Amino acid sequence: MEAQFNEIMDVIESYETIIIHRHVRPDPDAYGSQLGLKAYLSLKFPQKSIYAVGETEPSLDFIGGVDDIDDATYNDALVIVCDTANGPRVSDQRYVNGDKLIKIDHHPAVDQYGDLNYVSTEASSASEIIYDMIAHFNDFSIIDGSVARLLYLGIVGDTGRFLFNNTTPHTMSAAATLLEYDFNHNAELNQLAEKDPKLLPFQGYILQNFELDENGFCQVVITKDILEQYGLASNEAALFVNTVADIKGLKVWVFAVDEGTEIRCRIRSKDIVINDVASDFGGGGHPNASGASVDDWDTFKQLAQALKQKL
C-alpha cells in the first residue's frame, strides 16, 4: 500500500489540474475525504489548480462547498474519485472526461474503474486513507486545522462517533493526531448531530411504527404519503436510518424510503454480514452498512426476506 501512495503522488505531481469527485448522496466521509484531499493538496502544491465537484447535501453544507467548473477544465486533467465503490455512483459523471483517473476508497472493490485504484477495506473511512497518505509523506507540518477538521469529521461520520466495529486502534490514533490541530471539534460534532426541529416529529413516527420481529430483524417503511405528511424530502428522512439502532436485541435493520423513482433501502447490522444481500439486489457497501435500490414494494419484501434468512 505504501508503494501505491508513492505512485499516486507521482501522478499528482505530473498534473497541473486536479478534479476531485465523490459519491452521490454524500455523507460526512464523502465530504471529508474529498475536501480534505483538496485542502491538503492545495497546501502541498499551491501552484496547481485543484477543484472539488459533485451534488451537495444541504444538511452537510457546513462542512464545505464545491466548485462549479466547465467541461473544458477536464482537458488534460487528473481526476480523483474518493469514497465511491462503483462508477455509476460517482456524483457528476464527467469524472470519465479527464486524462487519467485515480480511485481512493475503503469499500469492497466491486468495480475497479480507475486507471490507478487504491482500495483499503481495513480503513474505517476514505478520510482515514487520506490521513494515512499525509502520514506516509510526513506532511503533518504542511496541513493545518482546516485539513484536520475535514478528515476528522469524515472519520467520525463513518465510524458513528467511534461506536461502529470499523473503529480500530489506528482509527483512534489518527483521530487523536488530528485533534492536535486548531479547530473546535466540540462545535463541529454538535453541528454534525443537529437536526432541524421540523424533522423531530418524523423521528417520533419512526419510534412508533418500526416493525421488530423475535429474531432481531427490524424494518422501517417510509412511503411517499408519510414523507408528504411530515413535509420531508427523501434525503431528510435518510438522516434517521439509525434511529432504531439502540433497540435491545436488534441484529439487522432496513430503512426503506420511497423516493418516487425507486425505493432506497439502507441496510445496517450488528456483526452480521449483509452486503452480500445488498449486492444481490444491485447495491453494495460494507459488511455491516450497505444499501440497495428496488423498483417496488414487492421487491422490497424479497429483500427483507433475504435479510431475515441471515438470522
Side-chain angles (χ1 to χ4, degrees):
M1 288 296 190
E2 291 185 355
Q4 276 193 286
F5 279 144
N6 292 335
E7 187 178 359
I8 289 171
M9 194 58 71
D10 286 344
V11 174
I12 288 172
E13 289 177 350
S14 69
Y15 282 86
E16 293 306 310
T17 300
I18 300 167
I19 305 170
I20 308 173
H21 289 243
R22 34 78 174 155
H23 60 75
V24 297
R25 299 187 181 94
D27 57 13
D29 186 37
Y31 272 102
S33 58
Q34 177 196 38
L35 300 181
L37 179 60
K38 176 189 174 182
Y40 162 49
L41 294 180
S42 296
L43 291 170
K44 189 176 178 71
F45 304 108
Q47 75 282 7
K48 295 185 184 294
S49 299
I50 305 174
Y51 306 99
V53 301
E55 68 182 44
T56 59
E57 166 51 51
S59 67
L60 297 176
D61 280 346
F62 76 95
I63 296 180
V66 295
D67 302 301
D68 184 13
I69 62 176
D70 59 29
D71 294 349
T73 309
Y74 285 84
N75 296 338
D76 301 319
L78 169 65
V79 176
I80 304 175
V81 179
C82 295
D83 194 37
T84 312
N86 54 313
R89 292 200 71 233
V90 179
S91 183
D92 193 333
Q93 287 288 301
R94 294 181 297 173
Y95 80 97
V96 297
N97 293 348
D99 183 63
K100 197 175 186 71
L101 177 61
I102 296 176
K103 170 187 176 182
I104 299 176
D105 191 28
H106 68 122
H107 299 91
V110 295
D111 178 8
Q112 296 290 61
Y113 51 81
D115 299 307
L116 179 58
N117 298 284
Y118 184 99
V119 177
S120 174
T121 56
E122 315 244 317
S124 69
S125 54
S127 296
E128 185 177 310
I129 293 175
I130 304 305
Y131 168 89
D132 288 340
M133 181 185 296
I134 294 168
H136 174 72
F137 293 105
N138 196 27
D139 280 343
F140 290 120
S141 63
I142 293 177
I143 68 170
D144 57 15
S146 65
V147 179
R149 167 186 172 271
L150 290 162
L151 298 181
Y152 183 75
L153 287 174
I155 291 171
V156 166
D158 254 25
T159 60
R161 296 181 177 233
F162 310 108
L163 292 176
F164 298 164
N165 63 3
N166 60 344
T167 304
T168 66
H170 178 68
T171 305
M172 301 301 286
S173 176
T177 300
L178 294 171
L179 285 175
E180 293 177 6
Y181 290 85
D182 184 23
F183 69 98
N184 188 336
H185 74 279
N186 285 327
E188 297 292 342
L189 293 184
N190 286 340
Q191 198 161 2
L192 191 62
E194 284 177 354
K195 294 183 176 66
D196 191 308
K198 75 170 187 177
L199 302 178
L200 296 186
F202 177 68
Q203 184 173 20
Y205 172 85
I206 294 171
L207 292 173
Q208 292 180 329
N209 291 276
F210 65 84
E211 301 172 46
L212 177 69
D213 70 18
E214 67 278 5
N215 295 318
F217 173 78
C218 180
Q219 65 181 43
V220 177
V221 172
I222 307 300
T223 56
K224 284 189 291 186
D225 61 319
I226 295 300
L227 290 177
E228 292 170 2
Q229 178 182 337
Y230 288 92
L232 300 182
S234 58
N235 64 307
E236 292 175 318
L239 298 173
F240 294 90
V241 62
N242 288 320
T243 296
V244 299
D246 295 331
I247 296 176
K248 184 177 181 179
L250 180 67
K251 296 178 181 177
V252 174
W253 67 103
V254 56
F255 189 91
V257 180
D258 190 342
E259 298 189 346
T261 57
E262 63 185 12
I263 298 167
R264 180 67 180 168
C265 304
R266 293 167 174 85
I267 309 167
R268 303 292 185 267
S269 73
K270 297 180 179 180
D271 298 323
I272 294 174
V273 174
I274 42 78
N275 60 346
D276 54 347
V277 175
S279 179
D280 289 342
F281 285 83
H286 300 291
N288 304 118
S290 297
S293 295
V294 297
D295 293 331
D296 51 56
W297 290 111
D298 286 337
T299 309
F300 168 75
K301 291 178 182 177
Q302 296 172 23
L303 185 150
Q305 186 57 40
L307 291 171
K308 290 178 182 179
Q309 289 175 358
K310 281 283 184 175
L311 302 174

